[in-house]
Amino acid sequence: MEEKTESHVKQYTSYALGAFGHDAFYATLSTYLMLFITSELFNSSAKAVKSHMILTITTMMMIIRLVEIVFDPIIGGIIDNTQTKYGKFKPWLLVGAGVSAIFLVLIFTDFGGLTNSNPMLYIVLFGICYVIMDIFYSFKDIALWSMLPALSVDEKVRNNFGTTGRLGSTIGAQAVPIIIFPLIVFFSHVFSGTSGQTKTQAGWIGFAVVIAIFSFGGALCTALGTHENTSLIRQNTERTGVIGIFKALGKNDQLMWLAASYFLFALGYVVTNSLLAYYFTYVLGQSNKFTFAGWIMAVLGVISVSLFPVIVEKVHRKAIYVGGICMMLVGYILFLFAGHSLLGVLVSVAVFFFPYPMIFLAALMTITDSVEYGQWKNGTRNESVTLSIRPLIDKLAGAVANGVVGIAAVHSGMTGNASPSSISAAQLTNFKMYMFYGPMILVAVAAIVYYTKVKLSESRHEQIVKELETKLRAEKDAKEASDAQ
């Protein structure tokens, strides 16, 4: 038992390191790429040209991600159908991490000054690099998180993997707001010879390189430190074609209801979180204090994730998901009264963010359990296809959120070298509509959908696993008896 525990600890740590690098990458892509594009990329252009270019790139990114997410279940099917001596997840995890890291750095450049000398060529090259980056990021994303049901079918061990993975991803995601501005300023000093808090494109590229290294290094740790669990339930798989992939998803009603709820929640959260850096920069006028928000989210994230295993045993997932959203709504209300008070904003950030990691875990574990639910209902096990729904939703929410953030930045006058004094009262009202009012409605509806439609509880999953094991064992015994005759 001691050896098994030590093995689990090693695997938990390795999985957490992979999630750390992965979510540092995701936070950079979903939140701070737009900040780079709107604040740094077109500073030398006329205001009208700058706004046009920002909206063009924002629209293009949103369309690319919306089109690409249709292929996520197919990517999940490719991973499910992969057979190598290293398993089906690790090859795609490493290939996806390596290629996406390279192209992340490329999209943080201006391709040798093309933003000014040849804007149309820049847009074409950006689009090509963004598509390649997004496809290989999808392989990595789906491979990493769809490992969960393959690592164990035991509810407690699975919760531990999910918790340690989320702990790593929380630290990774919240490390970004802590290090982003200090790193950009540091690399701006080193490569551009600037001083003070000045930020340059070279500084942003240096920051992107650091994130790329984190992402690939974490994936390597997961590949080397984890192994797939073999069980009778996991052997009940077969190759699935494209039509079969979408049929398997469509027939899994619990997965579909969870997906609907989680999309609404993720969209509201990502929009607000993405606009937080704008709040510090263009409302408070204290972008250097954004690090404080990062530290608060990092510390509270660790506490929140650490509490999940204890709380979920007491009140179960549904209470965590719905109750957590209620706490986030309180955070939104505090934001509305915080105004220009740094302390008020930081308190609002704390209340708003604290339940987020637990809500994410509740959704993730429900999706993970729906692997066995789909197997029980449809007769076929689809691990990566089922788990592809979560990254698909995150990317869909991120794509729509990027579009909303780009429009919000232009509509609220928060682009380029704008300052708090240049933002009118009407523009500030517009900004609050995008950052607070709309997202509040989205997350509230998400809670209602989960509470009324998602019935796959922990006890129901345990019952399903027992039924599957009994059925498959009986089928195996019957086959062995038949073969013996």
Side-chain angles (χ1 to χ4, degrees):
M1 177 62 74
E2 183 181 348
E3 197 171 45
K4 184 178 179 183
T5 302
E6 289 176 357
S7 174
H8 275 154
V9 170
K10 178 186 175 183
Q11 289 197 77
Y12 295 153
T13 304
S14 300
Y15 195 66
L17 289 172
F20 170 87
H22 184 70
D23 266 50
F25 187 106
Y26 176 74
T28 299
L29 182 64
S30 65
T31 303
Y32 302 106
L33 176 60
M34 280 306 302
L35 183 60
F36 166 72
I37 291 171
T38 59
S39 66
E40 188 64 48
L41 199 54
F42 301 106
N43 269 349
S44 59
S45 304
K47 186 175 181 179
V49 174
K50 177 170 62 180
S51 297
H52 174 72
M53 292 294 289
I54 289 172
L55 290 176
T56 299
I57 291 179
T58 299
T59 303
M60 181 176 67
M61 289 169 59
M62 183 168 63
I63 292 173
I64 288 172
R65 299 210 92 181
L66 290 175
V67 171
E68 193 271 329
I69 61 172
V70 176
F71 296 99
D72 273 14
I74 298 175
I75 291 173
I78 292 172
I79 295 173
D80 270 337
N81 293 334
T82 297
Q83 293 182 351
T84 74
K85 65 178 181 179
Y86 304 107
K88 62 184 181 181
F89 304 107
K90 294 178 182 180
W92 291 114
L93 180 64
L94 291 176
V95 171
V99 176
S100 62
I102 292 170
F103 281 88
L104 176 73
V105 176
L106 287 176
I107 63 176
F108 272 91
T109 71
D110 60 3
F111 298 105
L114 288 180
T115 49
N116 295 314
S117 61
N118 195 332
M120 288 309 299
L121 179 57
Y122 166 80
I123 288 175
V124 171
L125 291 176
F126 178 91
I128 293 171
C129 290
Y130 191 85
V131 167
I132 295 172
M133 182 276 303
D134 206 37
I135 290 172
F136 282 92
Y137 168 79
S138 295
F139 272 103
K140 180 198 173 199
D141 195 15
I142 294 169
L144 177 69
W145 291 110
S146 61
M147 290 178 76
L148 263 178
L151 295 171
S152 178
V153 294
D154 180 85
E155 189 73 31
K156 185 174 181 180
V157 175
R158 185 176 282 185
N159 274 338
N160 288 339
F161 269 111
T163 300
T164 53
R166 188 56 195 169
L167 181 62
S169 68
T170 298
I171 296 173
Q174 302 315 320
V176 179
I178 292 172
I179 66 174
I180 180 170
F181 289 137
L183 272 183
I184 293 170
V185 169
F186 170 76
F187 285 119
S188 297
H189 291 177
V190 172
F191 297 119
S192 303
T194 58
S195 59
Q197 296 297 313
T198 303
K199 306 174 187 69
T200 66
Q201 287 190 27
W204 279 93
I205 294 171
F207 160 72
V209 169
V210 171
I211 298 301
I213 293 171
F214 283 168
S215 178
F216 183 77
L220 186 61
C221 290
T222 299
L224 295 176
T226 60
H227 64 264
E228 296 179 32
N229 176 269
T230 56
S231 65
L232 189 60
I233 289 178
R234 287 204 68 225
Q235 292 168 11
N236 179 223
T237 59
E238 59 185 44
R239 295 182 70 87
T240 308
V242 174
I243 296 176
I245 288 170
F246 287 99
K247 279 185 177 179
L249 293 176
K251 290 180 180 178
N252 195 326
D253 60 291
Q254 289 300 286
L255 179 63
M256 292 295 97
W257 280 119
L258 185 278
S261 173
Y262 183 66
F263 169 72
L264 294 171
F265 165 76
L267 178 58
Y269 173 80
V270 174
V271 168
T272 297
N273 194 50
S274 298
L275 289 173
L276 189 58
Y278 288 80
Y279 198 103
F280 275 81
T281 302
Y282 297 108
V283 179
L284 294 181
Q286 301 183 68
S287 63
N288 60 318
K289 299 296 194 301
F290 186 57
T291 299
F292 294 165
W295 277 110
I296 288 172
M297 290 187 285
V299 172
L300 291 182
V302 170
I303 296 172
S304 179
V305 172
S306 301
L307 288 175
F308 178 80
V310 177
I311 296 177
V312 77
E313 287 190 3
K314 302 292 184 183
V315 300
H316 304 304
R317 290 192 298 245
K318 180 169 284 191
I320 288 176
Y321 192 95
V322 176
I325 288 178
C326 290
M327 184 173 179
M328 290 180 73
L329 290 171
V330 173
Y332 274 119
I333 294 171
L334 293 176
F335 258 124
L336 293 174
F337 288 99
H340 290 79
S341 166
L342 176 62
L343 178 60
V345 170
L346 292 177
V347 170
S348 304
V349 167
V351 175
F352 172 78
F353 177 79
F354 179 74
Y356 169 72
M358 285 194 277
I359 296 171
F360 174 93
L361 273 171
L364 177 63
M365 301 318 300
T366 304
I367 294 173
T368 304
D369 285 356
S370 70
V371 171
E372 283 78 37
Y373 176 81
Q375 183 179 5
W376 171 79
K377 186 174 182 181
N378 304 322
T380 304
R381 184 178 181 86
N382 301 101
E383 292 174 339
S384 293
V385 169
T386 302
L387 270 293
S388 72
I389 287 296
R390 203 277 313 157
L392 182 156
I393 295 170
D394 275 337
K395 286 196 294 182
L396 177 59
V400 177
N402 279 343
V404 172
V405 170
I407 294 170
V410 173
H411 197 199
S412 306
M414 298 179 180
T415 60
N417 295 318
S419 63
S421 60
S422 68
I423 307 299
S424 68
Q427 288 174 323
L428 186 58
T429 299
N430 291 338
F431 182 73
K432 289 181 178 180
M433 177 182 68
Y434 290 110
M435 185 172 178
F436 303 128
Y437 303 137
M440 287 175 72
I441 295 172
L442 291 172
V443 300
V445 174
I448 294 170
V449 171
Y450 191 98
Y451 184 79
T452 57
K453 294 297 184 180
V454 178
K455 309 297 183 184
L456 184 56
S457 63
E458 293 90 330
S459 58
R460 179 62 180 135
H461 173 257
E462 186 177 348
Q463 180 185 354
I464 287 171
V465 169
K466 289 178 180 177
E467 290 180 18
L468 279 172
E469 288 176 338
T470 302
K471 175 187 174 184
L472 294 173
R473 191 174 294 112
E475 290 177 355
K476 182 181 179 181
D477 292 342
K479 185 176 184 302
E480 288 176 350
S482 176
D483 291 343
Q485 294 177 356

